Amino acid sequence: MPGSVAPLDLAGVTIPHHFRCPISLELMRDPVTVCTGQTYDRESIESWVATGSTTCPVTRARLADFTLIPNHTLRRLIQDWCVAHRSLGVERIPTPKQPADAALIRSLVAAARSQGGAAASRVAALRRLGSLVRESEKNRVVISTDETRSALVEIAFEGEESGCPDADQPAMDAMAVLSMLSMTEAESAGVAARPERLRRLGEVVRGHPSTEARINAATVIEAVAAGARSAETRAAVGGTEGVMEGLVELVAQRGNGRAGRVGIRGLFALCLAKENRGRALAAGAAAAVVGRVAELASSDVERALATVELLCREDGGRDAVVAGWGGGAVAVAALVRVMAGKASGRAAEHAAAVLVAVLGGSEALHAEAVAAGVVAHLLLMVQGGCSERAKRKAQLLLKLFRSAWPRHDTISNSDDFLQPF
C-alpha cells in the first residue's frame, strides 16, 4: 500500500506518497485511474495487465473493465510540485499525449467506408487515420481492431473489384494504413484466398507510379505471406504475376533504404516456400539482394542473408548468387566481412551457410577465404554462444579449409576445434 512504503527521494527531495505509482513506487508521469478507483502510472498498469493479471494491484479486486481514465487533476498537481522544486533539480514531467479517442476512430472509419461520400472526404479520413497510427504505439493499439482492419482491407481492394478509377486513391490510402498494422492469420488467408486481391497487389507493387504505394503494397504482401503461415498461401502469393518482379525492383532501387528493407522482407517470407525460390531467381532476386548486403543495418543483413541461403538451395541458386556478387572471390570476401563485422549471431550463421554453398569444391576459393581471415571467425563461432546449427556450419568450413591453412599454422595440426558435438 502507498502509505506503508518509506518515502523515496528524487534529486534529494522526498516525493509525496500520493504522487508515486503503487506498482513502480516511482513518480507518476501519466497517472490513470482504473475501474476500482485506484490510480497508477499508465506504463506500469499497462505492463501489469499485459502479463495476464486481471486484478487491481492495490485492492486485489477483479478488473471488470480495463479502461484507463487519465487523472488530469493529479497530473497537474504533480507538474506543479515539480515546478515548485525545480531549483532542487526536479524536472517537470511533460503533459502526455493521450491515445486517440475510440469514438473518433469509429467516425473516421465510417467516413472512409462511405461509398456515397466524395473521394476527397474518404481520402481525408484515411490520411487522418494514418497520421494517428504513425503518431504513437498507443494510437496503433486503439486503431488496430478487427473492425478497423476489416474495413481497411475492403477499401484497399475495392478499386480493382469495382473497376472504378476514382476508387484508386482511397484504396491506396487504405493500403498505406493497413501496411502499418499487424494482420491476423485469418485476415492474411482471406486476402490470399481471393485471386483478384492478389492480382491487385501484384499490379500495385510492380507498376504503380508512386514508390510509396509500391512499398505499401510490398508490406501488405509480406504480411499476408508471413501471417498465413502456410506454404500453399506463400506459393499462391509468390506465383501471382508482378509480385516477385515488384519486390525485386524495390530491393534493387538504390537510394531508398526503406524500399530495400521492405522488398527483402517480402522476398524472405515468400522464399520460405520452395516453389517461390525459382520464381525469385528468375526475377533477379539473387543479384538484387546481395547488392544491398553491404549497406544494410544488422537486423536487415540477417534477413537478407537468410534469403540468399534459401536461394542457394535452388538449382542454379549458387551460380546466381556468385554472379550477383561479381565472382566467387568477391562473394567470399563479402561473406567474411559480414562474419568479421558487428552483424548478429544469426547473420553470421547465415553467412557461414551461404559460404558453404559459394565455396563448393573450389580449392582456389578455399584459399581466398583463409587469406581473408575466415578461420579465426569460425573458431570464435565454434567456441562462442552461437546456435548448434551455426557451430555445425563453422565446423564443416574448418574441415574444408584444413588443406588451405598455412603449413606453419599449428591449428592445422590439431583436431581440437573439429570434434563433432
Side-chain angles (χ1 to χ4, degrees):
M1 301 292 182
S4 63
V5 180
L8 298 181
D9 287 337
L10 179 68
V13 181
T14 300
I15 303 174
H17 287 297
H18 55 287
F19 286 175
R20 291 190 278 127
C21 174
I23 297 174
S24 68
L25 303 181
E26 300 292 338
L27 182 71
M28 287 188 280
R29 304 178 66 82
D30 186 6
V32 293
T33 302
V34 299
C35 61
T36 61
Q38 295 295 322
T39 297
Y40 303 93
D41 191 59
R42 182 185 293 275
E43 183 177 347
S44 295
I45 191 63
E46 285 181 343
S47 298
W48 171 270
V49 173
T51 61
S53 301
T54 59
T55 58
C56 173
V58 171
T59 67
R60 299 300 177 184
R62 179 176 172 274
L63 292 173
D65 181 359
F66 292 98
T67 302
L68 304 178
I69 302 173
N71 192 327
H72 298 299
T73 300
L74 180 57
R75 175 178 51 77
R76 283 192 289 269
L77 289 172
I78 293 174
Q79 289 177 322
D80 291 343
W81 178 84
C82 290
V83 171
H85 293 81
R86 180 178 295 172
S87 62
L88 298 176
V90 178
E91 295 184 4
R92 181 181 185 274
I93 62 170
T95 300
K97 196 166 185 63
Q98 299 303 317
D101 182 67
L104 170 63
I105 301 305
R106 289 193 294 270
S107 174
L108 291 172
V109 171
R113 297 182 72 172
S114 176
Q115 294 290 343
S121 298
R122 301 182 67 203
V123 167
L126 287 163
R127 291 184 178 177
R128 176 64 175 141
L129 276 173
S131 176
L132 289 171
V133 170
R134 285 187 290 270
E135 195 171 271
S136 70
E137 178 62 30
K138 295 176 183 178
N139 284 353
R140 192 172 294 114
V141 172
V142 173
I143 293 171
S144 189
T145 64
D146 293 343
E147 180 183 359
T148 300
R149 291 194 306 272
S150 176
L152 290 170
V153 169
E154 289 178 13
I155 301 168
F157 295 102
E158 70 182 15
E160 172 67 14
E161 294 169 2
S162 68
C164 175
D166 291 340
D168 185 64
Q169 193 55 57
M172 292 302 96
D173 282 301
M175 195 171 292
V177 181
L178 192 63
S179 71
M180 294 183 280
L181 304 176
S182 298
M183 297 173 65
T184 66
E185 185 173 344
E187 289 164 346
S188 300
V191 173
R194 303 276 290 274
E196 71 277 10
R197 292 184 170 180
L198 293 182
R199 184 170 61 251
R200 176 63 165 165
L201 286 172
E203 290 171 352
V204 176
V205 77
R206 179 72 192 278
H208 201 281
S210 165
T211 299
E212 188 67 21
R214 293 168 59 207
I215 290 174
N216 293 334
T219 303
V220 174
I221 288 170
E222 190 265 338
V224 170
R229 302 180 183 276
S230 160
E232 292 77 12
T233 297
R234 291 189 176 103
V237 177
T240 301
E241 183 178 355
V243 166
M244 282 295 183
E245 294 82 0
L247 293 175
V248 169
E249 287 171 7
L250 286 176
V251 175
Q253 186 172 326
R254 296 307 177 95
N256 191 325
R258 180 165 170 249
R261 292 192 299 272
V262 170
I264 288 171
R265 290 179 68 94
L267 287 173
F268 172 70
L270 292 177
C271 286
L272 289 172
K274 189 178 187 303
E275 297 88 337
N276 285 330
R277 296 169 195 168
R279 297 164 178 164
L281 287 170
V289 175
V290 300
R292 298 298 291 267
V293 167
E295 62 190 63
L296 293 172
S298 178
S299 59
D300 298 313
V301 168
E302 180 180 316
R303 187 170 280 102
L305 289 173
T307 304
V308 175
E309 181 184 350
L310 291 172
L311 293 176
C312 283
R313 298 177 186 175
E314 186 69 14
D315 289 342
R318 181 264 180 194
D319 293 339
V321 167
V322 170
W325 252 309
V330 179
V332 167
L335 291 166
V336 173
R337 280 197 298 273
V338 170
M339 297 169 68
K342 296 181 179 180
S344 66
R346 292 295 297 275
E349 174 184 333
H350 292 305
V354 175
L355 187 58
V356 171
V358 167
L359 290 171
S362 171
E363 292 186 4
L365 290 182
H366 290 182
E368 289 276 358
V370 171
V374 72
V375 172
H377 304 301
L378 293 173
L379 291 173
L380 288 175
M381 290 176 67
V382 172
Q383 299 174 78
C386 295
S387 68
E388 291 302 312
R389 178 176 180 271
K391 290 179 179 179
R392 287 196 297 272
K393 291 293 183 183
Q395 280 192 308
L396 173 59
L397 285 167
L398 286 170
K399 289 179 180 178
L400 291 175
F401 292 145
R402 290 191 72 174
S403 61
W405 288 350
R407 292 186 181 279
H408 65 273
D409 193 335
T410 57
I411 299 178
S412 63
N413 298 317
S414 171
D415 290 328
D416 290 349
F417 299 101
L418 306 179
Q419 298 302 319
F421 287 92

